[in-house]
Amino acid sequence: MKIDIGTIQQGTSTPVSPTYQELLKADARAVPAWATARGEDFVDVGPVPRSRYYDPAFAQLEMDNVWKKCWQIAARAEEIPEVGDRVEYAVGTMSFIIVRSGPDSFKALWNSCLHRGTKLCTDYGAGEQIRCPFHAWTWNVDGSPKHLPGLWDFPGIKQEKMALPEVPCDTWGGNIFINPDAGCGPLKDALGVLPEHFKDYDYANRWTAVHVRKKVRANWKTTAEAFLEGWHLSETHPQAQAWNGDSSTQYDVWEDEHAQVSRSTTPSAVPSPELGHQADARRAVIETITSVTPPGMELPDFDTIENLDRAFAAEWRRKVLTAMTGVDCADKSDTEMLDAAQYFMFPNFFPWHGEGAPLWYQFMPLGDDPNACIMDVRFLLPMPAGGQRPPAARRIDLDFDETYQAHNVGFGLFDEVFDQDQSNVPRVQQGCQSGSPETKFVNFGLYQESRLHAFHARLARLCGV
Ligand code: FES
Ligand SMILES: [Fe+2]
């Protein structure tokens, strides 16, 4: 059921933690159009059956109707920089070789030998041919057959007919997407409002500075949904309450037949409204500044600064980013420098906007187990001014019970944040299955969990349930 935004209470605010749109009015620079844009495609999906998180039959429905039919994020272009470089993209039991087939072209080839099915790529690979490790059947990097030894023994097979099958593959902003459905529409339709909102954000010219892939003991939806709302911050990430306006977060949903994009924007340099009379506006700015200042860089003398406000925090962040990358941030608005603008493109892609938290998430079901998934996270930094593109960071793989902090993966304060999120997720997965038989549904808040409503409404529609 579609909901009129006027009927929803849109978060909470206080005099020191105004709503996001109120904060934008105080921004000294021109506020970009993406920040003031509002999505109004809110729906009420009603109660959602818990079984959708663990029932193998529902996982199969998703595989057939979502993963085999939708455009989905597969990789970043900079992680396969040379022609012939490739990486596996595995989603459920499907697997693809994402390969740079030319200087600026990519292909997604089914990752299965045409002899007896051996996986041809199990991680990263390189070189001008794709060679099966079993009996050496070999393809060029565009999937055309190169040499099939022993072919004399296969009278029914003609080499020229033995190209590796491919699926549609396209890019946007250095992000590589695939769609296993050969008859699908164009990627641009599935991107929805993303190209418009990111048109001044040079996504193609960012590079992966940190890259961590984690196995999670939970359904892919359980895991992704832990990142679709900011409401949990006060309970799950209490260390961030002093300087993040969690319940001032603005939620937006843009939906059409081909695309669903949603967004949460959490202001920083303001305290959480949940702190009530303990909220401290100056402290919020100080914590914002200290959180982004790298070790070794001198902090301002806070006691001597009268206007310790968001504008000051944003200017400090500009200075830090310029010192770190050489990039001139003079024309960037305060919200771009400070706030957590996190977008989601159905079904598995979370590109963040701005420099406040330049993150990138990807989620995939793991094999045929509805209780397991993969979460892939990157820090995407702007290219150093005038410099060479730095090589993409090597991916760090964390197993089910490994933590970000123990491996000191390099996300800074987000190492702790991700560990806190990951401590909840398996409990949600288990708890969904261990409740009273009478408790068959999960319930979502109308506004703060509006993105979950939209996500499940689209999922159910695609799955025909
Ligand atoms: S299975 Fe690949 S060459 Fe035999
Ligand atoms: Fe979180």
Side-chain angles (χ1 to χ4, degrees):
M1 181 180 74
K2 182 136 194 215
I3 296 180
D4 176 0
I5 192 172
T7 65
I8 311 177
Q9 183 184 342
Q10 295 176 47
T12 57
S13 65
T14 69
V16 289
S17 305
T19 64
Y20 177 59
Q21 291 300 322
E22 285 165 357
L23 286 166
L24 290 180
K25 290 182 191 141
D27 196 325
R29 317 206 172 197
V31 177
W34 63 264
T36 52
R38 296 304 315 266
E40 299 193 350
D41 294 324
F42 294 107
V43 294
D44 182 355
V45 75
V48 168
R50 292 180 170 208
S51 57
R52 289 188 189 166
Y53 294 95
Y54 57 82
D55 178 1
F58 191 75
Q60 188 61 49
L61 268 184
E62 289 176 343
M63 187 49 63
D64 293 341
N65 295 290
V66 176
W67 299 107
K68 289 183 180 172
K69 297 281 181 195
C70 291
W71 281 101
Q72 54 206 270
I73 185 70
R76 280 279 300 172
E78 77 265 17
E79 67 185 307
I80 44 175
E82 306 292 337
V83 175
D85 286 356
R86 47 202 179 253
V87 62
E88 180 189 14
Y89 172 64
V91 53
T93 54
M94 293 189 292
S95 177
F96 303 90
I97 307 167
I98 311 298
V99 58
R100 189 182 283 260
S101 51
D104 295 305
S105 58
F106 301 89
K107 279 185 181 278
L109 309 169
W110 283 95
N111 188 8
S112 176
C113 179
L114 298 184
H115 175 215
R116 279 164 55 187
T118 306
K119 248 186 180 184
L120 297 167
C121 177
T122 55
D123 193 4
Y124 287 95
E128 60 188 24
Q129 60 186 27
I130 300 170
R131 179 179 168 125
C132 179
F134 202 170
H135 312 89
W137 282 22
T138 303
W139 289 266
N140 298 304
V141 293
D142 64 357
S144 59
K146 182 172 186 185
H147 180 49
L148 308 182
L151 202 60
W152 59 267
D153 210 11
F154 298 79
I157 290 182
K158 298 252 177 303
Q159 172 156 328
E160 62 273 20
K161 295 260 166 74
M162 295 300 278
L164 289 174
E166 62 181 291
V167 301
C169 178
D170 202 353
T171 63
W172 166 69
N175 301 295
I176 305 174
F177 299 82
I178 71 154
N179 191 327
D181 178 6
C184 65
L187 170 65
K188 75 172 174 31
D189 288 352
L191 292 170
V193 299
L194 289 179
E196 175 64 22
H197 283 224
F198 283 76
K199 71 178 187 313
D200 296 323
Y201 191 76
D202 194 358
Y203 226 135
N205 277 318
R206 298 184 81 89
W207 63 285
T208 301
V210 185
H211 186 187
V212 181
R213 173 165 289 193
K214 174 151 177 56
K215 288 182 180 170
V216 185
R217 290 188 205 283
N219 186 268
W220 69 278
K221 301 186 296 300
T222 314
T223 312
E225 287 167 18
F227 300 91
L228 279 172
E229 44 86 8
W231 174 33
H232 67 278
L233 181 142
S234 283
E235 185 64 18
T236 299
H237 313 295
Q239 76 279 9
Q241 251 188 319
W243 51 286
N244 287 284
D246 51 359
S247 41
S248 294
T249 297
Q250 175 179 302
Y251 297 93
D252 297 286
V253 180
W254 292 270
E255 176 115 28
D256 64 31
E257 185 193 343
H258 304 293
Q260 179 184 94
V261 172
S262 66
R263 178 180 70 184
S264 65
T265 314
T266 303
S268 78
V270 293
S272 164
E274 307 293 321
L275 286 168
H277 67 277
Q278 292 177 327
D280 180 336
R282 272 181 77 88
R283 185 177 164 212
V285 175
I286 293 170
E287 297 245 1
T288 302
I289 288 172
T290 51
S291 76
V292 300
T293 305
M297 186 168 167
E298 201 176 332
L299 285 164
D301 182 0
F302 295 117
D303 290 340
T304 64
I305 300 161
E306 202 177 320
N307 289 329
L308 211 47
D309 53 14
R310 265 173 61 91
F312 186 89
E315 190 55 28
W316 184 263
R317 178 83 175 117
R318 288 183 193 97
K319 196 168 135 183
V320 167
L321 198 63
T322 302
M324 287 169 66
T325 65
V327 173
D328 180 9
C329 303
D331 61 342
K332 290 196 189 296
S333 63
D334 293 353
T335 188
E336 285 171 284
M337 298 313 298
L338 292 175
D339 301 327
Q342 182 226 61
Y343 284 73
F344 169 65
M345 170 192 159
F346 187 95
N348 73 332
F349 182 35
F350 288 73
W352 292 57
H353 203 311
E355 307 300 343
L359 291 158
W360 183 105
Y361 302 163
Q362 174 193 40
F363 295 86
M364 292 83 74
L366 178 58
D368 58 3
D369 182 359
N371 297 292
C373 77
I374 295 284
M375 177 175 178
D376 195 284
V377 181
R378 302 165 194 242
F379 249 151
L380 289 180
L381 293 183
M383 295 265 280
Q388 285 281 95
R389 172 182 279 281
R394 256 179 90 89
R395 193 181 73 209
I396 298 168
D397 290 298
L398 298 182
D399 214 334
F400 287 111
D401 297 317
E402 293 184 304
T403 67
Y404 295 82
Q405 287 174 101
H407 286 263
N408 196 17
V409 294
F411 289 129
L413 57 90
F414 285 101
D415 287 358
E416 180 184 19
V417 169
F418 288 131
D419 281 338
Q420 290 168 324
D421 289 316
Q422 294 293 359
S423 71
N424 283 340
V425 168
R427 291 174 67 149
V428 179
Q429 186 68 22
Q430 290 161 21
C432 263
Q433 298 171 67
S434 54
S436 154
E438 306 300 311
T439 315
K440 295 197 173 82
F441 301 95
V442 292
N443 302 292
F444 302 136
L446 211 48
Y447 183 63
Q448 296 195 100
E449 293 174 325
S450 52
R451 302 169 81 198
L452 285 80
H453 279 275
F455 174 67
H456 278 272
R458 191 171 188 90
L459 182 74
R461 182 168 67 73
L462 293 177
C463 290
V465 296

